[in-house]
Structures are given as C-alpha cells and as structure tokens.
Amino acid sequence: MSAEIIDGKALSREVMEDLKPRIASLKEKGIIPGLTVIIVGTDPASMSYVTSKGKACERLGIGSETIMLKEDTSQKDLLAIIENLNQNSRVHGILVQLPLPDQIDENLVLESINSEKDVDGFSPINIGRLMAGQDCFVPATPNGVMEMLARSNIDPEGKHAVIIGRSNIVGKPMAALLMQKKKGANATVTLCHSRTKDMEKLTIQADILIAAIGKPNFVTADMVKPGAVVIDIGINRVDDDSRERGYRIVGDVDFEAVKEIASAITPVPGGVGRMTIAMLMRSTVQSAESSL
Ligand SMILES: NC(=O)c1ccc[n+]([C@@H]2O[C@H](COP(=O)([O-])OP(=O)(O)OC[C@H]3O[C@@H](n4cnc5c(N)ncnc54)[C@H](OP(=O)(O)O)[C@@H]3O)[C@@H](O)[C@H]2O)c1
C-alpha cells in the first residue's frame, strides 16, 4: 500500500489563509507587517529562497524588502544595517540569509538581530527560549514540520522520532520541538549525524523519520520501518538533461521506494519547503501583532 502524500502546497495555503484576517486586522490599526531580508553575495539557493519569500509577502500584503549586499561587504557595514532595521518600527522581521561570506562572523550577526524581530529564531536568545520551552520565534523549517504533522493529524506523543542532521537551523531545533513537554510534541527523540554508528539500526526504529542531510536518496527503503511517517527536509539539485534548466530538485529520501513502505511521506518539491515560507510569514505577522 502506498503512503499518504503530505501535501505541503495545500497545507501551506491553509496557513496563509489563516493569516489573511490577522493581516487585515493589523491594517485596520494602521500596521502593515514588514519583513526585511538581507542577502550577502549571490548564492543561487539563497536567491531562489529569497524570491519565494518575496512572492509570498506580495500575495499576503506583507511589506517586503530585500537588501542585496556585495560578497565583500564588511562585518561592520552589515552590523550597521541590522542596527538600523532594529530601530525601524516599520520592520517587524529581520532575516539574514545564511551562509555568510568568510569575513563575517555569523554568530555575531545573529546576536545583533533584535530578538523581537528575529522571525527565523536563529538568535541565541530565541534558541535559549526554545530549549526552555518558552514562547519564542522558532526556525521556520522545523516549525513548518510541526505544523504539517499537526494539520495531518499525526501526533508525535510517545512516538520515537529519529532525525538525521544536527544543524543549528534544522536538525537541532527539530529535536527541541519534538521533545517539548506539550501537546503536539512529547516524542522520544534520537538525533543522528555523520558520526553516528550503525545509523540504520536507529532509523529502522523510527515511527517518525526526519531527513535533513543534504544528500539525494540518502534514506533508502531498507532504513524505514513499515508504517513510519517520513519527513523529507532535504533540497538537492541533481543534473537532469531532460529539464530545460539542466537540473531538478530532489530531497534526501528515495521517495519512490520509501513511499511503498511509509504510512505518510512528504514530497520534494511541494513538501516542507512550502511550509517553511508559510511559517516565516506567520512569524512576521506574529511579530507585527506583538508590536501593538
Ligand atoms: N525545506 C526547507 O525549507 C529547507 C530549509 C533548510 C534546509 N533545507 C535542506 O535540508 C538539508 C539540510 O540542511 P542543513 O542546513 O541542516 O544542512 P547542514 O548544515 O549541511 O547539515 C547536514 C547534517 O547532515 C549530517 N550528515 C551529513 N552526512 C551525513 C551522513 N553520511 N550520515 C549522517 N548524517 C550526515 C551532518 O552531520 P555533521 O553535523 O556530523 O556534519 C549535519 O548534521 C539540505 O538539503 C538543505 O538544503 C531545506
């Protein structure tokens, strides 16, 4: 039996629809939620993500600004721009696209963003709040996964969730969210990474298996327990001469084989990526509401 396909397009549309009345109500009070994205350099993946964010803002009537900086921008200049945005009352969300060039200290930059405007939840204050189980901005991708599970009536409580990947922006916050002592979480979490031994022995136990590695077809059918929920966060370009652009986007999971074993699975594209954008919009609206 083939798995249920968790439709990120449809679920993200639901999240966006829920935002419309909230945005209208803010506008009645004279507030237009505003998101500013800073991008240093021209990394193609970052550029495509920034374009998607801009389109989503436009669709919802959220103010959107993209500050494009040259690859050789100094740390001092970037920090000054962030400080200006911190002070600007029309800006409710500030997002600095990662990775940053070598001359810039990423930690210093993330620390400099006002935690009340850190809609991506990457600043140490929001990371600390997340670990402490407090209300905070949560990184959009793992937040989107939690929302997908909730909207698909998949309750992680008591389940064994195995995450592959421990990055600060995806794997670690994903683990923190799933282990929270609260409704919609309460999972038992195992976090795997490149130094994990016999990883297949862990993944095969997963009721919920989450892949955030960045390697096409990494998760194969033999690593998946029959009936597991499989969430594919990976976004990878693979060469494809049949496409005009010469590549296609795939996730970290061998989708065709794994969908025959899993009970539910997210596709790539059309899965978690869509939710990431929607959650970012939601955080921006939330920030604007908090500014009232
Ligand atoms: N859907 C979305 O909206 C969205 C958002 C963000 C990222 N992504 C995608 O998600 C993927 C992960 O992103 P990221 O930023 O978390 O990447 P990352 O920082 O490169 O982290 C990758 C993680 O995978 C682990 N890993 C690598 N090779 C492994 C192996 N052979 N066995 C076990 N673990 C291994 C690494 O382990 P170590 O820590 O030991 O090196 C690391 O923890 C990428 O494809 C990215 O494009 C998607």
Side-chain angles (χ1 to χ4, degrees), residues 44-164:
S46 295
M47 299 294 273
S48 120
Y49 185 37
V50 168
T51 308
S52 308
K53 284 170 192 165
K55 281 189 194 154
C57 285
E58 202 177 309
R59 234 176 298 141
L60 287 173
I62 290 178
S64 156
E65 184 195 18
T66 304
I67 301 179
M68 313 267 274
L69 299 174
K70 288 200 200 118
E71 184 82 28
D72 62 356
T73 300
S74 71
Q75 178 171 289
K76 188 165 164 264
D77 287 350
L78 177 58
L79 291 176
I81 290 168
I82 293 172
E83 188 44 35
N84 261 325
L85 297 170
N86 282 340
Q87 304 297 335
N88 185 339
S89 61
R90 280 179 292 119
V91 175
H92 303 99
I94 304 170
L95 199 149
V96 179
Q97 194 64 37
L98 303 178
L100 289 166
D102 291 346
Q103 75 275 15
I104 298 175
D105 179 343
E106 197 168 289
N107 289 330
L108 204 64
V109 167
L110 295 177
E111 276 170 33
S112 75
I113 302 172
N114 178 345
S115 63
E116 306 308 314
K117 298 189 179 190
D118 169 36
V119 284
D120 237 349
F122 291 171
S123 77
I125 292 181
N126 281 313
I127 294 166
R129 286 179 182 150
L130 172 61
M131 288 313 293
Q134 297 171 10
D135 281 344
C136 62
F137 288 121
V138 175
T141 300
N143 207 15
V145 171
M146 296 306 282
E147 191 70 26
M148 282 181 120
L149 294 175
R151 286 180 188 256
S152 308
N153 296 315
I154 297 165
D155 186 357
E157 178 155 337
K159 307 250 168 64
H160 186 189
V162 177
I163 302 161
I164 316 174

Side-chain angles (χ1 to χ4, degrees), residues 265-282:
I265 187 167
T266 62
V268 179
V272 177
R274 294 289 187 131
M275 288 304 279
T276 297
I277 304 279
M279 299 317 285
L280 182 65
M281 297 300 115
R282 191 165 87 178

Side-chain angles (χ1 to χ4, degrees), residues 10-38:
L11 295 177
S12 63
R13 265 198 301 270
E14 281 178 26
V15 173
M16 303 269 238
E17 281 302 314
D18 290 350
L19 291 177
K20 286 182 180 168
R22 291 169 63 180
I23 295 168
S25 158
L26 281 163
K27 285 191 178 157
E28 276 167 22
K29 297 177 180 96
I31 294 180
I32 297 173
L35 174 68
T36 298
V37 178
I38 303 177

